Amino acid sequence: MAAMFLRSTSRQKNGKQHRYFSIVENKRLADGRVAQRHVLYLGEINSSQELAWRKSIEVLEEGKDKPSTLALFPEDRCEAEICDESMVRVRLSELRLCRPRQWGSCWLVVKLWRELELDRFWRERLTTSRKGTRWEDVLLVLVAYRLIAPGSEWRLHRQWFGQSALGDLLSADSSLADPHKLYGCHDLLLEHKQGLFDHLIGRWRDLFNLSFEVLLYDLTSTYFESNPPNDDNDKRRFGYSRDKRRDCVQVIIALIVTPQGFPLAYEVLAGNTKDNSTLKEFLDKIETQYGKAERIWLMDRGIPTEKVLEQMRQSDPPVKYLVGTPKGRLSRLEKQLLDKPWHQARPGVEVKLLAEQDELYVLAQSADRVHKERSMRRRQLKWLWARLKQLKTMKLKREELLMKLGAAKQKSPSAWRLVQVEVDKDKAAFTYRLDREKLRRQRRREGRYLLRTNLTETDPAKLWSLYLQLVNVEEAFKNLKGDLAIRPIFHQSEKRIEAHILVSFLAYCLHITLTERLRSLAPGLTARSSLEKFAAMQMIDVHLPTTDGRELILTRTTHPEPELQLLLGKLKLELPAQPPPKITTTQVTSAVAL
């Protein structure tokens, strides 16, 4: 009998001891040896969560020592009362298993979709077409595909839908994945975007008791590997690329999320939009929709302008903010901050506070960040120094020398600022030396960053901890670009591009809902690992030919593995009953004999 247990491993990281937990299963092999199989990785969990996992494993392992034999026929059946004519015999030797398809992850997505009541929301807005197309189901197919196995709509039509059980779960046929319907569905979505935001906020408030007192705001870009559009009003434009693809046109996505990662609203902007020109419109939109309740806005440096921050301070009531600050302001305040005392926010992190007019400035210093930035600077400077030394010995024309110096500057821009390079005006020669004053100034700033706020909180450690929540909006972008593969974008019209982003947004909403469920019920698991566990459950059609020329068809889902049973228990989910059997004719049989 297989047994499962918790295994912990220890690792020294950043001067601290970390314990990571996994669930491992012991299995007895034919030769008597015991093999161990990794079942679930839980990550770091606290003592109460550890006890909860141990209890769940013990419950799962409870059972009888000996297997019991079950009757093949219902208990109220009496063979003596059944005539031979009423029996149908099957040919077990001709049993066939047909159409294996992924069921578990599709079922979980449908469950999440209905939990957020998105079926009702879209059913009221996307009415069935005259040809009988259920647009809300087509949209669910698009979102499930984006969440489970993202790719192009053509791959969805040609391959993925037929290998999934979505048709069975939605009681529909393969017409749901018709390419004309998939593309046509995109044309119906954008007008309902604002209503979708309101609906989701209400559902998350009901399900998770969320508050929206702290909001995180950030921007990202997504690029297109296609020619620039001819329309000057098209949002696909060249601009600053966060993906390091300056050769591609792009659009900007501005996103507002809660500290838990739940998205409040988003907007698609032109690819050449400047970061500091987007905030004012979003502030007005949020205030118009949700009122002027006290909220704290967390933003990275470069997003708010001085003018917008001043407007936030002068509002009635003032709009609270905690934002990153460009390093130029650190130079101006360096002397004033010098005499302020350090406070320990956590091991390896120190902060200090400076009051300046109507604002507070928080200087943070992280030992880990010092080590990281210093290592990066040393690596780049070492490479640049060796390259300059190499170029010094090469026989080049002046134009060639300038090109190679330009390439070196482009490869190591931060290190280049620490070196003074002087090229001779008349010949292919140059001199270089280290700017020690700049190096000393950079060393003092490595691992340090400055925050500013109009909050009245006087504990700099609390302000620093609050700012760290900004990482959640970066995690949202990471999931959109990585796990949900928002690109490549195969659409060409601007309307369908924005609709594609809306589909990805809906997939992220299901993703974060599952993540929040796991955070409270099964900590240590990610949404992706859970979907992969559920994906192991398949749906199969069992075909049993009968002696009278008909065929009995039983559509069955595979039994969940022990680790999936454990996860179902943790998430408090119950699998539905198996579908009823079918027979190839309309003749009704009263019994099936084996």
Side-chain angles (χ1 to χ4, degrees):
M1 179 179 177
M4 290 193 296
F5 59 91
L6 274 181
R7 168 185 285 170
S8 68
T9 56
S10 298
R11 179 187 174 193
Q12 193 79 11
K13 183 179 179 183
N14 298 331
K16 293 179 63 179
Q17 192 78 9
H18 297 263
R19 292 181 70 200
Y20 302 93
F21 288 83
S22 298
I23 296 178
V24 179
E25 182 182 39
N26 275 348
K27 282 192 172 183
R28 180 75 61 179
L29 302 180
D31 58 4
R33 292 182 296 115
V34 175
Q36 292 186 344
R37 184 174 70 91
H38 180 89
V39 176
L40 287 177
Y41 174 72
L42 303 176
E44 287 189 276
I45 58 177
N46 59 40
S47 56
S48 60
Q49 293 167 345
E50 178 187 349
L51 292 175
W53 278 108
R54 292 187 186 278
K55 183 177 180 181
S56 297
I57 295 170
E58 290 171 1
V59 170
L60 188 66
E61 290 180 347
E62 287 179 359
K64 298 180 181 180
D65 295 334
K66 297 181 180 180
S68 57
T69 303
L70 302 178
L72 293 177
F73 299 101
E75 60 183 2
D76 59 346
R77 169 176 168 178
C78 178
E79 292 191 34
E81 297 178 359
I82 299 178
C83 302
D84 292 341
E85 292 79 5
S86 63
M87 298 180 66
V88 174
R89 301 184 179 275
V90 297
R91 304 179 185 275
L92 287 179
S93 60
E94 299 177 20
L95 180 145
R96 303 192 320 276
L97 303 179
C98 304
R99 288 189 63 222
R101 50 206 183 271
Q102 189 184 102
W103 181 86
S105 56
C106 296
W107 174 78
L108 180 60
V109 169
V110 173
K111 196 82 173 175
L112 293 169
W113 183 266
R114 292 171 178 169
E115 183 179 34
L116 291 178
E117 296 184 1
L118 289 169
D119 53 336
R120 176 182 60 81
F121 174 84
W122 288 110
R123 191 182 304 116
E124 294 171 355
R125 290 159 177 82
L126 302 180
T127 56
T128 303
S129 71
R130 289 179 298 174
K131 295 183 178 181
T133 302
R134 300 183 312 205
W135 292 113
E136 73 275 9
D137 287 345
V138 177
L139 176 58
L140 174 53
V141 170
L142 285 166
V143 173
Y145 176 57
R146 182 60 44 189
L147 182 58
I148 297 171
S152 68
E153 280 75 9
W154 184 246
R155 174 174 168 267
L156 166 59
H157 161 65
R158 289 292 299 270
Q159 179 183 353
W160 186 80
F161 186 83
Q163 297 174 354
S164 77
L166 269 179
D168 302 87
L169 290 165
L170 300 177
S171 301
D173 55 25
S174 60
S175 63
L176 276 184
D178 180 84
H180 298 289
K181 293 179 181 178
L182 296 177
Y183 290 116
C185 184
H186 286 75
D187 300 331
L188 307 174
L189 303 180
L190 292 182
E191 60 183 293
H192 307 296
K193 187 170 75 170
Q194 193 57 55
L196 174 65
F197 295 158
D198 296 336
H199 172 80
L200 287 170
I201 290 169
R203 287 302 299 151
W204 286 327
R205 186 183 283 117
D206 295 340
L207 292 172
F208 306 111
N209 195 27
L210 284 186
S211 64
F212 305 101
E213 298 172 354
V214 179
L215 300 180
L216 286 57
Y217 178 72
D218 205 354
L219 301 99
T220 192
S221 58
T222 182
Y223 61 87
F224 303 81
E225 293 179 328
S226 61
N227 295 324
N230 296 323
D231 185 2
D232 292 337
N233 296 320
D234 197 292
K235 292 182 179 179
R236 287 171 289 177
R237 285 285 170 262
F238 288 105
Y240 169 69
S241 175
R242 295 158 178 83
D243 304 305
K244 312 300 181 186
R245 291 300 304 270
R246 297 181 181 179
D247 58 317
C248 297
V249 290
Q250 63 179 20
V251 294
I252 300 294
I253 302 175
L255 180 66
I256 299 176
V257 303
T258 68
Q260 296 87 355
F262 289 91
L264 193 67
Y266 81 92
E267 201 63 53
V268 181
L269 309 170
N272 58 358
T273 304
K274 293 183 178 180
D275 291 2
N276 57 16
S277 65
T278 63
L279 179 60
K280 182 65 172 65
E281 181 181 348
F282 261 91
L283 288 173
D284 296 340
K285 185 176 295 186
I286 294 300
E287 286 185 358
T288 301
Q289 188 169 4
Y290 306 108
K292 291 189 176 183
E294 285 202 10
R295 296 185 184 88
I296 304 173
W297 288 81
L298 304 184
M299 294 167 282
D300 206 351
R301 64 185 183 187
I303 292 180
T305 62
E306 288 294 330
K307 182 178 179 181
V308 172
L309 290 179
E310 179 65 25
Q311 291 175 349
M312 294 172 78
R313 290 193 295 270
Q314 298 301 325
S315 297
D316 185 24
V319 180
K320 304 298 183 182
Y321 60 81
L322 176 59
V323 302
T325 305
K327 290 188 176 181
R329 189 168 290 268
L330 179 57
S331 301
R332 289 168 43 194
L333 302 174
E334 203 164 20
K335 292 182 179 179
Q336 296 167 264
L337 286 163
L338 194 61
D339 298 330
K340 300 296 180 181
W342 287 104
H343 302 270
Q344 189 175 43
R346 72 179 187 191
V349 179
E350 294 179 314
V351 291
K352 58 172 61 177
L353 189 67
L354 172 66
E356 183 81 5
Q357 295 180 351
D358 297 331
E359 293 181 301
L360 295 174
Y361 288 88
V362 181
L363 178 63
Q365 175 177 272
S366 167
D368 291 339
R369 189 162 175 169
V370 168
H371 178 72
K372 178 181 178 181
E373 292 183 6
R374 193 157 291 174
S375 298
M376 292 171 61
R377 187 253 306 161
R378 284 173 176 169
R379 185 167 58 251
Q380 286 196 21
L381 190 56
K382 182 179 179 181
W383 178 89
L384 179 61
W385 200 260
R387 180 58 175 165
L388 292 174
K389 184 178 180 180
Q390 184 184 33
L391 291 176
K392 190 77 174 173
T393 61
M394 296 173 66
K395 294 182 179 181
L396 301 168
K397 294 181 179 180
R398 191 172 186 277
E399 291 77 9
E400 293 175 334
L401 176 62
L402 291 174
M403 291 179 64
K404 291 185 181 295
L405 287 174
K409 178 181 178 180
Q410 186 176 11
K411 184 171 181 179
S412 299
S414 59
W416 184 271
R417 290 191 287 268
L418 303 176
V419 179
Q420 289 186 350
V421 180
E422 296 180 1
V423 182
D424 194 288
K425 295 181 179 180
D426 302 319
K427 55 184 179 179
F430 72 98
T431 60
Y432 63 96
R433 66 182 181 85
L434 185 65
D435 191 328
R436 298 187 181 277
E437 180 59 32
K438 284 187 178 180
L439 178 59
R440 281 193 292 268
R441 191 160 55 244
Q442 181 162 325
R443 279 178 58 87
R444 288 198 303 268
R445 294 179 181 176
E446 283 171 344
R448 294 185 176 186
Y449 49 97
L450 189 65
L451 313 176
R452 64 190 294 191
T453 181
N454 62 346
L455 294 171
T456 57
E457 175 61 59
T458 57
D459 185 350
K462 290 183 179 179
L463 292 172
W464 175 81
S465 299
L466 181 62
Y467 183 75
L468 283 190
Q469 296 181 12
L470 194 61
V471 73
N472 288 311
V473 71
E474 296 171 358
E475 184 68 20
F477 289 142
K478 180 181 177 182
N479 285 323
L480 280 170
K481 291 184 175 182
D483 204 26
L484 304 180
I486 193 173
R487 54 170 198 267
I489 299 177
F490 299 94
H491 302 281
Q492 296 300 314
S493 71
E494 183 178 322
K495 184 176 181 181
R496 287 187 179 177
I497 287 170
E498 293 198 40
H500 167 83
I501 295 173
L502 178 58
V503 170
S504 301
F505 172 81
L506 282 167
Y508 175 70
C509 291
L510 300 186
H511 183 280
I512 194 62
T513 301
L514 177 57
T515 299
E516 185 65 18
R517 286 288 189 211
L518 293 167
R519 185 181 293 132
S520 58
L521 299 174
L525 298 182
T526 65
R528 178 52 54 192
S529 64
S530 301
L531 284 168
E532 289 171 355
K533 294 294 180 185
F534 275 91
M537 281 196 70
Q538 300 283 303
M539 175 171 274
I540 302 174
D541 291 338
V542 182
H543 290 248
L544 290 166
T546 64
T547 55
D548 58 359
R550 292 178 294 174
E551 194 168 59
L552 183 68
I553 303 174
L554 297 98
T555 300
R556 291 292 179 265
T557 57
T558 57
H559 189 71
E561 294 293 321
E563 58 266 34
L564 184 54
Q565 293 183 45
L566 182 62
L567 185 55
L568 285 166
K570 281 291 182 179
L571 294 177
K572 301 177 182 179
L573 296 175
E574 292 186 8
L575 296 175
Q578 298 280 12
K582 302 176 183 177
I583 200 160
T584 53
T585 68
T586 56
Q587 180 179 348
V588 178
T589 60
S590 58
V592 176
L594 299 180

